[in-house]
Amino acid sequence: MHDFIVVGSGSGGGSLAYYLTKGGAKVLLIEAGKMYRKDTFPKSEADTSAQLYWGGGIEFDKDARMGFLRTKMVGGSSIVYQCLMDRFDDIAFNDWKSESGVDWFNNQDMAPHYDAVESDMLLHTFVESERNGNARLFVDACDKLDYKWGALRRGQGDCGADKGNDCLACLGGCHRDSKQSSLVAFIQKGEKLGLEIQTEVEIGQIESNKDSVTIKGINNGKPISFQGKKVILCGGSFGSTKMMLQSGYKSKLPALGNNFASHPQFMWFGLQKEKVDAHKLMFQSVASKDPNFRKQGFKLENVFAPPISIAMLYTIYGAKHQQYMKRYRHMQCIEVAIRDENNGTIQIDNKGKLIVTKRFTDSDMLKKSKGLEVIKNILSTSGAEEVFESSLYFGLHLMGGCVMGIDPNKSVVNPDFQVHGESNLYIADSSIYPNAPGINPGLTIKSLGHRLAQQLIK
Amino acid sequence: MANHFSNAAKKGLSRMGDLILPASGEFPKYSDVAGLQYLDELVVNAPKEDIDSLNLLLTILSFMPTFILKWLIGKMATSQSNPSNGFIGVTFRQLDVGLKGLVFTTYYGEKINPNYTGKTPEQLVDFKINRIVD
């Protein structure tokens, strides 16, 4: 029997499995998706969407308004995201502490875990010479408007920018093993230390025994089960919540499936007379760092995407669509991400299908409109000839559903990551986030994994 | 690879595609370029019931009069700004994203008809990225 079974291999599961293995434990890491390596990641945008995401691309909320991008492969979302590594500020931790009653939610207690994770990753803060056309337009306009901005810190090694490598390709997985995904920074190192990995297993049932936990699932259409002394769910907000709901925990834990938030992101485009080439080189190197924006609950990021995704964001059909796409290289792009309220819910229907409800509150709408006002100023100052907003929007940071707290009526796991009332079942991923921090969640998820590993190895 | 989509479904998608992306300037019409042979590859991770529903819908669209398809596209185009969260509003939004996803993926990307000899939409968009591997 394994000492620990970790279910889910994204930011939380990858780091946790590595630190447990490094601590001498016998660990099995289970993942619903496949294992891809740097030389086997999909090479086209179409294959990336089809092969690496649940649902074959985008999943939607109940109202079919907000799209969610949820990955399905070893390494999880850390494979496709930009690997931006930000520590939380006091605002984020204070809000967590106040909502959950967990007293170690503060920068002092989390610092050793941040330090440990950062020391196991290659980190890079972008410099001026690495800015592409889109970033230069953003920075110049922010300077003119006196908006504060900052260079992003990313988990990366040698991205080959000096050789002309375009990092847009790594949205489908980094073909250089430069991006410090969970796979590169933790899982591959764990494999060398004896970490076992079982792929393509979707867990649907959890059963707690006196001294162990049995988990049952499906592997290539056939039932399969595993038994571990302790099981830690790291399937993310949707994955872990779904496993808990399917296993009948909602009757014991009324907060299960509640407090969902997703940092909704709205993209705006400006068409420039000259080519911007937002898709070239390091396509995301700067972001807003304005304390006023933070207070108002939004941030701006300098992003872009390959043609099919950009085509999806423009809602006009016919010849006008093609003429718009013809100006792909002239597009400037900025998104606003809001620190949304955690009013969403995650449920399953009688067939076990996820039903996510996420509606904006007045406060969310105010944050969005404040952010869009700033974006319009930036695009106008940048000299955009035409400006448009995509009516599609996305939740990329899926958080909550199994939140941490001291009250079993308002939370799912206790401050030791244990499911309330269970001694051998734990959760350690973004589903335990009490509310939306308004900051990229990846580094903190990994650091929470480190904290739990230290606790369990003791 | 499973063969999820009937010929009638592919015809339905082509008809919708030609209304969504007609021939315009240098751009070819959808059906001249569409990589319909790749549809099965695009749904490898989609739930089977969703694929079956899509196949049925596309099959129905294959024999609908053109004016109905145009009406449908008009509804899809405004669906994202439609405030209704009722059945009709939700259905048109799902249709908008689902059909657009298939049409754009088999037009603006690499999954196009290998027999197409003209300049591809991806070339017309002038999208090129360098994937440098040491």
Side-chain angles (χ1 to χ4, degrees):
Chain A
M1 194 191 305
H2 289 90
D3 297 322
F4 302 104
I5 298 178
V6 178
V7 184
S9 64
S11 289
S15 72
L16 174 66
Y18 167 67
Y19 288 119
L20 289 172
T21 307
K22 195 178 171 189
K26 188 175 182 216
V27 183
L28 173 65
L29 178 62
I30 293 178
E31 164 59 43
K34 293 180 179 174
M35 169 70 89
Y36 293 87
R37 304 283 185 180
K38 65 176 181 178
D39 50 352
T40 60
F41 284 124
K43 298 206 167 36
S44 73
E45 185 186 9
D47 286 332
T48 294
S49 294
Q51 294 173 24
L52 302 189
Y53 288 90
W54 287 87
I58 311 171
E59 296 173 296
F60 277 90
D61 71 327
K62 189 180 169 187
D63 299 331
R65 287 195 181 280
M66 188 184 299
F68 304 114
L69 300 177
R70 185 165 65 110
T71 47
K72 185 182 183 183
M73 74 289 211
V74 175
S77 60
S78 71
I79 295 287
V80 299
Y81 286 178
Q82 272 296 79
C83 210
L84 303 175
M85 293 289 113
D86 299 323
R87 291 190 181 202
F88 282 8
D89 58 12
D90 290 339
I91 297 172
F93 276 130
N94 287 341
D95 286 351
W96 272 20
K97 189 174 173 179
S98 138
E99 177 129 7
S100 65
V102 178
D103 59 9
W104 56 262
F105 280 150
N106 62 70
N107 261 305
Q108 194 182 337
D109 282 327
M110 280 299 290
H113 309 295
Y114 280 137
D115 290 343
V117 168
E118 286 170 349
S119 71
D120 278 317
M121 301 177 76
L122 300 171
L123 295 169
H124 173 72
T125 301
F126 289 108
V127 295
E128 187 174 352
S129 60
E130 293 172 304
R131 286 178 212 149
N132 73 0
N134 196 29
R136 285 195 297 273
L137 285 168
F138 180 82
V139 166
D140 290 348
C142 283
D143 285 344
K144 282 178 191 161
L145 293 161
D146 203 21
Y147 297 145
K148 303 287 178 286
W149 60 272
L152 292 168
R153 184 175 72 149
R154 185 173 189 244
Q156 67 173 57
D158 174 13
C159 285
D162 54 334
K163 301 180 185 84
N165 185 53
D166 296 318
C167 274
L168 203 75
C170 83
L171 290 178
C174 179
H175 50 277
R176 299 174 61 86
D177 267 0
S178 168
K179 185 174 9 177
Q180 300 293 287
S181 65
S182 184
L183 177 66
V184 170
F186 299 104
I187 295 169
Q188 290 182 167
K189 291 177 194 166
E191 283 179 293
K192 289 179 184 159
L193 299 173
L195 170 64
E196 294 173 47
I197 301 172
Q198 171 76 57
T199 61
E200 298 179 71
V201 173
E202 190 172 349
I203 298 297
Q205 197 68 34
I206 305 157
E207 291 171 11
S208 282
N209 317 309
K210 192 181 169 198
D211 298 314
S212 65
V213 177
T214 302
I215 51 174
K216 296 177 179 175
I218 300 289
N219 172 229
N220 292 323
K222 292 179 183 163
I224 190 168
S225 67
F226 305 88
Q227 194 174 12
K229 290 176 190 165
K230 292 185 187 299
V231 166
I232 306 108
L233 304 183
C234 297
S237 180
F238 288 1
S240 291
T241 305
K242 187 180 178 187
M243 286 183 267
M244 291 290 288
L245 288 167
Q246 285 176 319
S247 304
Y249 281 94
K250 180 73 178 173
S251 57
K252 298 177 202 164
L253 299 164
L256 179 60
N258 297 348
N259 304 89
F260 172 65
S262 65
H263 290 159
Q265 304 182 14
F266 307 85
M267 290 172 82
W268 274 67
F269 295 85
L271 292 176
Q272 293 284 340
K273 190 175 178 188
E274 305 297 328
K275 284 178 182 163
V276 176
D277 281 343
H279 62 301
K280 299 300 282 182
L281 299 172
M282 302 294 193
F283 77 98
Q284 192 178 5
S285 58
V286 293
S288 68
K289 286 277 163 71
D290 197 305
N292 288 327
F293 301 171
R294 176 73 175 140
K295 271 186 212 155
Q296 292 175 75
F298 69 87
K299 67 173 179 171
L300 307 183
E301 289 194 341
N302 212 221
V303 295
F304 206 56
I308 297 166
S309 303
I310 295 296
M312 290 291 291
L313 296 170
Y314 192 61
T315 48
I316 291 174
Y317 291 150
K320 204 171 171 187
H321 193 279
Q322 290 144 322
Q323 293 317 306
Y324 147 82
M325 286 301 290
K326 180 80 181 158
R327 301 192 68 184
Y328 177 83
R329 292 185 64 184
H330 295 254
M331 291 177 188
Q332 172 186 10
C333 179
I334 307 169
E335 71 170 20
V336 55
I338 63 166
R339 190 181 182 205
D340 57 326
E341 294 194 48
N342 57 349
N343 63 329
T345 59
I346 303 167
Q347 298 164 299
I348 51 172
D349 65 14
N350 53 13
K351 290 180 183 166
K353 192 174 176 181
L354 277 171
I355 309 289
V356 179
T357 306
K358 182 77 176 96
R359 289 181 178 155
F360 290 132
T361 64
D362 290 345
S363 161
D364 293 336
M365 294 307 288
L366 183 65
K367 289 169 190 170
K368 178 195 168 191
S369 69
K370 293 273 184 196
L372 295 187
E373 207 174 291
V374 174
I375 288 183
K376 281 190 211 168
N377 288 340
I378 293 173
L379 292 174
S380 161
T381 303
S382 300
E385 293 179 327
E386 204 180 317
V387 168
F388 69 91
E389 176 192 11
S390 171
S391 55
L392 284 178
Y393 49 88
F394 299 91
L396 301 187
H397 302 154
L398 310 180
M399 301 167 285
C402 300
V403 300
M404 179 179 279
I406 55 173
D407 183 350
N409 290 313
K410 293 180 180 169
S411 59
V412 175
V413 297
N414 68 24
D416 289 332
F417 299 84
Q418 276 170 311
V419 172
H420 288 296
E422 298 284 343
S423 23
N424 299 311
L425 181 61
Y426 298 74
I427 306 177
D429 56 27
S430 62
S431 72
I432 68 171
Y433 277 27
N435 52 44
I439 295 173
N440 283 306
L443 177 63
T444 301
I445 300 171
K446 292 175 175 71
S447 303
L448 291 171
H450 180 267
R451 183 181 176 95
L452 176 57
Q454 276 206 325
Q455 176 191 313
L456 292 173
I457 289 295
K458 270 182 195 167
Chain B
M1 176 87 47
N3 194 5
H4 295 296
F5 295 96
S6 66
N7 286 335
K10 288 175 184 173
K11 186 182 165 194
L13 184 64
S14 272
R15 290 187 69 205
M16 286 296 277
D18 280 346
L19 295 172
I20 292 170
L21 295 169
S24 157
E26 307 157 274
F27 283 86
K29 70 175 187 284
Y30 174 73
S31 58
D32 286 346
V33 181
L36 299 176
Q37 59 271 61
Y38 299 113
L39 291 183
D40 289 314
E41 290 179 23
L42 302 180
V43 296
V44 285
N45 269 340
K48 187 170 183 313
E49 62 183 60
D50 290 358
I51 300 171
D52 291 344
S53 302
L54 183 61
N55 187 51
L56 178 64
L57 171 76
L58 293 174
T59 302
I60 293 168
L61 294 179
S62 72
F63 55 78
M64 283 283 184
T66 303
F67 77 90
I68 292 187
L69 299 189
K70 284 184 178 171
W71 173 82
L72 203 57
I73 285 173
K75 288 288 180 191
M76 284 161 51
T78 55
S79 64
Q80 302 300 339
S81 50
N82 181 346
S84 164
N85 288 329
F87 176 76
I88 301 287
V90 170
T91 303
F92 279 119
R93 280 194 289 279
Q94 287 173 333
L95 206 56
D96 177 53
V97 174
L99 287 181
K100 262 194 334 196
L102 285 180
V103 169
F104 292 159
T105 303
T106 48
Y107 184 82
Y108 283 118
E110 293 171 7
K111 303 281 181 192
I112 59 166
N113 183 350
N115 298 322
Y116 178 73
T117 53
K119 221 170 176 185
T120 68
E122 190 178 57
Q123 288 167 336
L124 291 166
V125 165
D126 201 12
F127 173 74
K128 279 189 230 98
I129 51 171
N130 298 318
R131 189 186 297 266
I132 310 285
V133 180
D134 287 332

